[in-house]
Amino acid sequence: MNREWLEKDFYKELGVSSSATQDEVKKAYRKLARDLHPDKNPGDAKAEERFKAVSEAHAVLSDPEKRKEYDEARRLFASGGYGRGGFSPGGGYGQPGGFSGEFNLGDIFGGAGATAGDGGLGDILGGLFNRGGARTSSRPRRGSDVETETTLGFREAAQGVTVPLRMTSPAACTTCHGSGAKPGTSPRVCPHCNGSGVISRNQGAFGFSEPCEDCRGTGSIIDDPCGDCRGTGIQNRTRTITVRIPPGVRDGQRIRLAGQGEAGLRGAPPGDLYVTVHVSQDKVFGRNGDDLTLVLPVSYSELVLGTTVSVPTLDGRVGVKVPPGTADGRTLRVRGRGVPKRGGGGAGDLLVTVKVAIPQKLDDNATEALRRYAEAEKESGFDPRAGWAGA
């Protein structure tokens, strides 16, 4: 839990209620992100700050575990669950007894990057009734996952493409390379807790843990913090990431890029980047799984007499044979000319549906010829409604 979370109202940032569903959160974020994106507001510092705040709010509220943690912590502090002073088995929080001195948010949550196991709230509650005072190891907090979106053309999605994504998110500080310490110096192991970030004590029948006051639960001390990131090891910055979109990606599909998310605190592993792909519609092609679909306009005579028609594919054109006597609406299959399958297992098929195009106007010669054909058709004994249940 980041201690700064309690100072921010993420629901207000996104303009949703605290009971909003995940879909409502995502919808609100997408709208704000489009309006506030730096590419849409070049040179607008205020819009950029709002974009960062909205992105941070979405990163927390879109993650069910983080959202639950955020909500519980806000409820706890709103009700005065923590106060001044400490804990006593015979008293309570805010009374003299166990913890001495005054706890601020940083003490309780073990610094800006504490999570369960970092000497924060989880360790206070988890170690409260532990006998023997066993210490809990402190580990740097992994960076949060980041979500973004991109829109591809239909053929780009089908064939695969490499796209640059410009995004603003927390990343490793370029000055200290994520250590949090001023260049030329390094963090040192906290001598008070020996790097665990937690001090365990026994008091009567109870054993409990509290964050180390010297290192604020991080397990390390930075004597000379980096001036650019103020010792956190991370900065908000705009960067461009080149993403390879594999062939055959579908509309709404999420692609995971390991290690491309938010930087971890003080050199901890970064989170992942999830890219949601939106695919535009195509004027010619449709898609059914790995099969491409298209509707081919033909004339009545072409269906009756048969023909070969050139149709487009993703990589050129191919001739499709229409057999004589083909019915209107029939689908013809061209093997292996569809969307490439995942894992390199070939490609789907091209499904061509023929549809008769009716001429809206004929000249005199064509009209007379059609009348002669209709008479000849009738004389041949052909009845289009033969066997029809409505006859």
Side-chain angles (χ1 to χ4, degrees):
M1 163 69 79
N2 191 319
R3 64 179 176 178
E4 295 181 356
W5 285 3
L6 299 181
E7 302 169 8
K8 300 176 180 179
D9 188 340
F10 291 143
Y11 293 104
K12 184 176 180 181
E13 289 287 359
L14 294 180
V16 298
S17 69
S18 58
S19 60
T21 64
Q22 291 296 92
D23 287 341
E24 289 172 338
V25 168
K26 181 178 289 188
K27 183 178 180 180
Y29 165 70
R30 286 178 177 175
K31 182 180 185 304
L32 289 169
R34 283 194 297 266
D35 294 340
L36 298 170
H37 198 281
D39 288 345
K40 192 174 180 180
N41 303 276
D44 189 337
K46 186 175 181 180
E48 184 174 353
E49 286 303 315
R50 279 280 292 130
F51 179 76
K52 293 176 182 177
V54 165
S55 299
E56 181 185 19
H58 177 256
V60 174
L61 299 184
S62 64
D63 185 319
E65 292 185 5
K66 288 182 182 178
R67 181 175 178 178
K68 181 180 179 181
E69 185 180 358
Y70 172 71
D71 289 343
E72 289 178 350
R74 281 171 60 85
R75 281 196 296 270
L76 180 64
F77 280 88
S79 63
Y82 285 94
R84 302 171 66 90
F87 171 78
S88 168
Y93 287 100
Q95 299 180 18
F99 296 149
S100 61
E102 178 181 347
F103 278 89
N104 59 29
L105 300 185
D107 297 322
I108 292 172
F109 289 98
T115 60
D118 291 344
L121 181 59
D123 288 318
I124 295 174
L125 300 181
L128 187 58
F129 297 103
N130 288 338
R131 295 176 181 267
R135 287 182 176 177
T136 304
S137 174
S138 172
R139 290 178 294 178
R141 178 174 66 89
R142 173 185 178 273
S144 298
D145 295 335
V146 175
E147 291 192 19
T148 189
E149 301 174 326
T150 188
T151 299
L152 304 179
F154 182 92
R155 303 185 194 209
E156 291 178 325
Q159 295 178 297
V161 66
T162 299
V163 296
L165 295 179
R166 188 169 181 264
M167 52 189 298
T168 300
S169 64
C173 175
T174 55
T175 301
C176 66
H177 304 290
S179 71
K182 184 178 179 179
T185 67
S186 300
R188 60 184 174 88
V189 175
C190 176
H192 191 202
C193 64
N194 292 325
S196 70
V198 179
I199 300 298
S200 299
R201 298 177 181 175
N202 290 324
Q203 186 169 24
F206 298 100
F208 60 91
S209 301
E210 64 179 357
C212 174
E213 294 183 358
D214 287 9
C215 66
R216 293 178 176 265
T218 64
S220 63
I221 294 177
I222 297 178
D223 296 310
D224 199 355
C226 170
D228 289 342
C229 67
R230 294 179 292 182
T232 64
I234 57 177
Q235 291 177 310
N236 272 323
R237 58 187 177 92
T238 299
R239 52 193 172 125
T240 299
I241 301 174
T242 300
V243 179
R244 171 62 183 168
I245 307 294
V249 65
R250 292 178 173 82
D251 183 49
Q253 185 173 337
R254 289 207 316 168
I255 297 175
R256 173 177 171 266
L257 300 175
Q260 293 294 335
E262 179 181 323
L265 186 68
R266 296 186 183 177
D272 299 332
L273 172 63
Y274 289 89
V275 182
T276 300
V277 178
H278 300 289
V279 180
S280 302
Q281 292 185 343
D282 191 79
K283 294 180 179 179
V284 176
F285 295 115
R287 183 172 175 180
N288 182 14
D290 291 326
D291 294 335
L292 278 180
T293 64
L294 65 81
V295 176
L296 174 65
V298 293
S299 68
Y300 173 72
S301 60
E302 287 176 324
L303 290 185
V304 174
L305 302 176
T307 186
T308 297
V309 182
S310 175
V311 299
T313 69
L314 293 176
D315 53 358
R317 302 184 71 85
V318 65
V320 176
K321 184 178 180 181
V322 180
T326 297
D328 180 40
R330 179 181 173 183
T331 297
L332 308 173
R333 184 181 296 268
V334 182
R335 302 283 182 183
R337 301 309 292 263
V339 178
K341 296 181 179 180
R342 296 182 62 183
D349 301 333
L350 174 64
L351 306 180
V352 181
T353 300
V354 295
K355 184 174 178 61
V356 170
I358 304 297
Q360 299 300 307
K361 187 177 181 180
L362 295 176
D363 61 19
D364 293 341
N365 290 334
T367 301
E368 182 60 31
L370 189 59
R371 287 198 179 101
R372 289 197 303 271
Y373 168 78
E375 291 296 329
E377 184 182 68
K378 186 180 297 184
E379 291 174 1
S380 71
F382 175 72
D383 182 0
R385 286 169 287 282
W388 178 47

